[in-house]
Structure formats: C-alpha cells, structure tokens
Amino acid sequence: MRVEVRLAGSGGQGLILAGIILAEGCGVYEGKYVVQTQSYGPEARGGSSRSDVIISDKEILFPKARRVDILACLSQAAYCDYCDSLKEEGILLLDDFYVREYNSPSALLLPFSRLAREQLGRELFANIILLGTMAKILEKKYDCGSLDSLKKALAKRVPKDYLSQNLSALELGYSILEKL
C-alpha cells in the first residue's frame, strides 16, 4: 500500500498543520512509513500553501508526491494549480464555498468552510473537518489514517484551549460523507 495525499489552499487555512497531523497519526500511531513535505508562498496569509503526505507499508525511497491519490483543495487557486497532479482514478475533495470552477465530474464538493462557520463558529476549523473526511476515506480505501490515530496526533499539535473544538471538527469531517 502506498497513498499520496495533497492538501492545498491559501496560507492561513491550516493545511500544513493538517498534513503534519495526518503524517504523525499514520507514522507514530499506526507504524506506517510516512513523508510529509510542505510548500508555501512568502506571504503569511493569503499566499499559496500545500502539504503533501505519502503513506506506505514499505520504505519510501522517493519523498516527492508525483501523482496524488487524494487531492483536497480549499481555494480556487489551489485547484487550478494542482488539478493535473491527481491520478485519473484519484479522489478530489473541493470546498464548495471557495472552489466554484472545476472540470471533474467525480469531484466531491463538500461544505468544509461552511460547516466550520455554522457548527463551530469559526472557519478556522475547516482544515480539521477536511482531515476528518480524509480519515474516513483513508480508513476505508487504504486501511490507514484511522480516526483514533488522528485524534492522538491532534491532541499533541493543537493548543489545549481549542482541543475539544478540534476534536469535534475531526468527528464532523469523519461523518460528513454519510450525512450528504
């Protein structure tokens, strides 16, 4: 098993943190081989941001994601920049508020930002809702990225004052596909 994941959006959306949590959950708590890389523009907020995570049962010899199995985009620019990196049979997750133009009939338009605002009071949690959705997909399709391992990694990475909201966001994301 080898799965390549790309989380992309704008700086400030927390996608690098989400990638780190995913890598830590799979590597530390599931014993998988993982590589996490990140790329972001010089702007603190608003520039492009990307986090790639490779998860494997075997040693990873080349640490760069080439053709991703799962692409998640929380901005229109991210979709435009990275849509060509998705494998033909890959899974495309798009935020239905920020991504309006796309040319993939199999894209899953999901309300990450809207749910964060409406149910958790701040759009700040959209990245963790997305991470929960990825956990569901990774568990079912690739037997990795379990909700429990991501909860453990999340608890080590977010401020204690926001842990309960982040755990709620993770669980909300995990159940989003069943609710829609």
Side-chain angles (χ1 to χ4, degrees):
M1 179 276 303
R2 177 186 169 108
V3 59
E4 297 183 6
V5 175
R6 175 164 292 155
L7 302 106
S10 298
Q13 288 183 308
L15 294 167
I16 290 174
L17 174 63
I20 291 168
I21 292 167
L22 176 60
E24 186 173 317
C26 293
V28 174
Y29 301 107
E30 297 179 12
K32 304 289 187 195
Y33 290 95
V34 296
V35 172
Q36 188 273 333
T37 56
Q38 53 199 352
S39 171
Y40 46 89
E43 306 88 351
R45 301 220 179 267
S48 64
S49 173
R50 180 186 88 214
S51 180
D52 293 346
V53 181
I54 301 171
I55 307 161
S56 179
D57 287 333
K58 298 181 177 135
E59 190 174 344
I60 299 168
L61 301 176
F62 185 69
K64 183 173 169 53
R66 293 174 260 187
R67 301 290 288 165
V68 298
D69 299 284
I70 303 172
L71 173 62
C73 299
L74 294 186
S75 74
Q76 185 67 52
Y79 171 76
C80 293
D81 288 346
Y82 300 116
C83 64
D84 291 338
S85 68
L86 184 66
K87 289 180 179 175
E88 189 173 316
E89 66 282 357
I91 297 168
L92 178 59
L93 304 173
L94 302 174
D95 185 283
D96 69 357
F97 184 78
Y98 288 110
V99 183
R100 306 282 174 129
E101 297 177 23
Y102 58 95
N103 61 2
S104 174
S106 63
L108 295 172
L109 282 168
L110 299 169
F112 302 119
S113 298
R114 183 172 50 81
L115 286 174
R117 285 189 304 271
E118 291 173 2
Q119 295 195 21
L120 299 167
R122 295 181 69 191
E123 198 170 304
L124 173 74
F125 300 105
N127 64 327
I128 304 302
I129 295 172
L130 166 62
L131 188 59
T133 302
M134 287 195 137
K136 181 69 151 197
I137 293 167
L138 289 167
E139 261 185 341
K140 296 290 183 196
K141 189 165 182 169
Y142 299 99
D143 194 32
C144 65
S146 76
L147 186 61
D148 287 338
S149 65
L150 295 186
K151 283 181 179 181
K152 291 175 188 173
L154 182 72
K156 295 198 178 255
R157 293 284 173 177
V158 301
K160 299 290 182 226
D161 294 346
Y162 294 98
L163 181 57
S164 66
Q165 287 175 296
N166 277 284
L167 289 171
S168 294
L170 192 65
E171 290 173 5
L172 178 61
Y174 190 79
S175 66
I176 196 173
L177 296 174
E178 294 165 1
K179 293 179 179 178
L180 296 176

